[in-house]
Amino acid sequence: MSLFDKSKIAPTSIRVMRDYYILGERYFKNLLVTSLPDRFGLGMLSFYISDQNIKLFMVTEKSYMDIPKALRNELREKKQSYNKSKDDVVRERLAKDIDSLDAYIKDFVNSGDVSHNVLMVFSLGADTLDELNRLVKDLKSRLQVEGFSTVTLQFMQLELMKYTTPYFVEDALPKVLKESYGSVTTSTSVAGMYPYTFQSLKDPGGMLFGREKNQAGIVLWNPMLYKHDKERARIDNRLTGNSVVVGVSGSGKSTDMGLIIRHAIRQKMRIVWIDPEDRNMYLTRKYGGNFVKWGTRDSMINMFDLKPISTEEGEEVDRFDTELAMLNVISEFKEIMKLYKPTVNEDSLDIIGPVIIKMYKNKGIDFNTQFEYLGVKDYPILEDLNHQIDLEIEQLKDDESNQGIVHLYRDLQSKMLPMLTEHKYYFNGHTTIVMGENGSEILAFGSKQLYSVSVELRSAMNHLMFRFAWSLCLDPQVDSLFAVDEAHMMILEGLAAEQLAIFWRRARKYNNACLLGTQEPQDLASDVQVNGVSVSVHGKAIFNNSTYKIIKKLNKDGVESVSRLMTINDSQKQIIQDFDMGDALFCYGDRVMSVSVLATEKELREFETMG
């Protein structure tokens, strides 16, 4: 073995320069931490030492400093600054600091915690001096953003290394430096800084979703754990398969959505997938599914099809109760009419129920019919309802006492007229959309076409699509996935938010997993009123009923919106804003970890084609 090889295993020389030293063939520089951030989360230092070129050394000694006294002095100064300041922004920041500091002092005193002086050194190594200087510059910037203060001790690099490294018995670091440098903090905070927070997730039957960001623990995730391992799901509080994915454009949100959907395809789940950007077309067709270009004359959903009954968990109702199914159709017709023509007369809608029931009866369908076995051609369509209204008018027109009802019928017909003429390809016909047309259980709706029509027409069409799509997920014998991507394009229109919140609450009952992706969490947290209810109420219901929350990179406004929908601390807020592409805060049940999502080259090519 040559001397060169030996020096890489056990360095044979140390050369000391002004602000760095050379150990073997490697260049090293030490950064001494002189102050810590005001706030930090558990395992904060893990973000730095996950880099193989960075080593962290810590020396702790018991401190006899009276921390509560020092903090009370700081608290007094902040209160004085608050009283003197005229700037509302500054006062608001100081008020938060005062509340936090006051609570910390009380907690410290009540717990009887011990204080420690912590001397912390980041040691960076590189193969060349230029590379070392670049690493040092990058690390200093990262540390500064987090709230650290650091200094490079010139002419004492080797002494600092000897003092913090346990291999040396003696060091030449001056005593005054040992006593002056370091940060006094509590034992609880010292424990919180401990960098080796190894986390992993290994669900049985799970997909490789990624790795824990800091220590690279594997993340094998099974969204349907609540069905496949009920005991573990109960312990982890993972009682649904519902997920939300939020992140700015370019954060990797579509990759996450794609990985979840590909896992559902491999598990042979029934998949109903809605995307207003039509990016679901490629993957759907590649795996033999049926892609529907919603809003064209080639796609039709008949609003008068009877659909299985969907109820909340705990309600036991026959899914094929024909009477309930008819009543649901009446309700759906009224909702569609109000979305399509907001000026429709409520009194006209109030009297249409019996007419719709007569229409069904004329088609041979009554409350005793087993609609489970009916085909799409067996149902009436919109023109049948128009004809039934004509029959009602004919019977009543000669009776003066019924002229008010006749007027209401004619008013409703006038509102329905465009649905039977220029919009007949949207509303007047039998359903042409089929699940499993090519033997595949994937049905995807691309609704990009609808963004060239009026909001009223689009809202009515989307409502019709949502109700039909959800009806395909109501067989508890078949595991299913209901997915909505780019939800921000729909959530503030019509009844979309309300409908999705209902689906999220009911999914578990039908062995379904709901998946929502959006780059605008502000919409889910919006105070816009729909039917007298704030959209944020439905947004919170979606988040509350999502066992899995994948929070990608967001801007400050996005983070604040998410904080209105779920609980995240200040440290997590900052982490989310600092994420790189592919990083995410992965919340599963009661647990949270930072992850780097992994995808194979094949998967990435597929997702790029989707985009």
Side-chain angles (χ1 to χ4, degrees), residues 497-553:
E498 179 184 340
Q499 286 295 301
L500 292 177
I502 291 172
F503 301 163
W504 254 250
R505 287 198 303 268
R506 298 179 177 179
R508 170 188 165 88
K509 181 174 181 178
Y510 299 101
N511 287 329
N512 172 264
C514 287
L515 171 64
L516 179 143
T518 181
Q519 57 183 268
E520 298 290 349
Q522 294 93 323
D523 290 349
L524 287 169
S526 171
D527 290 325
V528 170
Q529 298 276 318
V530 178
N531 285 346
V533 179
S534 170
V535 170
S536 64
V537 172
H538 304 306
K540 288 178 182 177
I542 291 171
F543 264 73
N544 288 341
N545 287 282
S546 292
T547 295
Y548 307 99
K549 304 170 187 73
I550 303 167
I551 316 299
K552 314 291 286 185
K553 181 179 177 64

Side-chain angles (χ1 to χ4, degrees), residues 402-417:
N402 289 317
Q403 290 310 298
I405 297 176
V406 170
H407 174 75
L408 292 175
Y409 281 145
R410 284 178 173 156
D411 179 70
L412 182 58
Q413 281 187 311
S414 70
K415 298 296 191 295
M416 288 167 48
L417 184 60

Side-chain angles (χ1 to χ4, degrees), residues 16-20 29-30 140 151-160 177:
V16 182
M17 307 301 178
R18 186 182 66 175
D19 60 352
Y20 68 94
K29 184 176 289 191
N30 295 317
K140 276 189 171 183
V151 64
T152 303
L153 293 181
Q154 297 185 357
F155 302 109
M156 281 186 285
Q157 285 287 305
L158 186 62
E159 288 76 8
L160 194 59
L177 288 180

Side-chain angles (χ1 to χ4, degrees), residues 14 36 59 129-130 159 166 188 351 359 393 415 421 527 532:
I14 298 178
L36 299 172
V59 177
L129 184 57
D130 287 342
E159 288 76 8
T188 303
I351 64 173
M359 173 190 69
I393 292 174
K415 298 296 191 295
T421 52
D527 290 325

Side-chain angles (χ1 to χ4, degrees), residues 245-463:
V245 186
V246 297
V248 297
S249 178
S251 63
K253 173 179 65 66
S254 295
T255 296
D256 296 11
M257 294 280 291
L259 288 171
I260 297 168
I261 289 169
R262 286 183 97 258
H263 175 70
I265 293 172
R266 290 195 300 272
Q267 297 300 310
K268 302 189 184 305
M269 296 173 68
R270 175 175 292 174
I271 300 170
V272 184
W273 185 4
I274 297 169
D275 188 341
E277 291 285 358
D278 292 8
R279 290 184 298 187
N280 50 356
M281 178 174 65
Y282 171 76
L283 211 60
T284 299
R285 289 180 172 170
K286 177 177 179 178
Y287 292 102
N290 182 16
F291 175 77
V292 176
K293 211 167 184 61
W294 184 233
T296 65
R297 64 187 299 168
D298 297 324
S299 58
M300 174 68 70
I301 295 174
N302 179 13
M303 71 179 85
F304 297 109
D305 287 351
L306 297 181
K307 304 176 185 68
I309 310 300
S310 165
T311 59
E312 304 287 348
E313 193 163 9
E315 295 181 57
E316 295 304 324
V317 176
D318 179 5
R319 289 193 305 124
F320 297 102
D321 185 318
T322 305
E323 181 178 3
L324 285 178
M326 279 192 195
L327 296 177
N328 285 345
V329 165
I330 293 170
S331 176
E332 185 174 333
F333 172 77
K334 292 178 181 180
E335 289 169 345
I336 289 173
M337 286 305 303
K338 285 189 282 189
L339 292 170
Y340 181 74
K341 288 289 183 182
T343 58
V344 66
N345 193 322
E346 288 280 357
D347 292 336
S348 299
L349 297 178
D350 288 341
I351 64 173
I352 199 61
V355 181
I356 292 176
I357 291 174
K358 286 182 182 179
M359 173 190 69
Y360 276 110
K361 191 170 184 179
N362 289 338
K363 284 290 182 177
I365 304 173
D366 59 25
F367 292 163
N368 296 315
T369 303
Q370 293 183 299
F371 77 87
E372 180 180 2
Y373 305 106
L374 296 180
V376 293
K377 298 288 187 181
D378 297 324
Y379 292 110
I381 58 176
L382 189 63
E383 64 185 36
D384 294 317
L385 176 59
N386 191 58
H387 177 65
Q388 189 65 45
I389 294 175
D390 284 336
L391 294 178
E392 297 297 316
I393 292 174
E394 186 65 29
Q395 289 181 0
L396 300 174
K397 68 179 182 178
D398 296 329
D399 187 342
E400 285 295 328
S401 64
N402 289 317
Q403 290 310 298
I405 297 176
V406 170
H407 174 75
L408 292 175
Y409 281 145
R410 284 178 173 156
D411 179 70
L412 182 58
Q413 281 187 311
S414 70
K415 298 296 191 295
M416 288 167 48
L417 184 60
M419 303 171 87
L420 294 164
T421 52
E422 65 260 40
H423 295 152
K424 66 180 180 179
Y425 296 114
Y426 300 146
F427 298 106
N428 186 37
H430 295 290
T431 298
T432 59
I433 299 169
V434 181
M435 166 66 79
E437 190 174 41
N438 302 315
S440 171
E441 288 285 284
I442 308 175
L443 178 63
F445 289 89
S447 57
K448 191 173 184 177
Q449 178 73 20
L450 286 179
Y451 287 86
S452 60
V453 304
S454 69
V455 174
E456 292 79 13
L457 174 57
R458 182 165 66 245
S459 296
M461 290 287 289
N462 281 337
H463 185 72

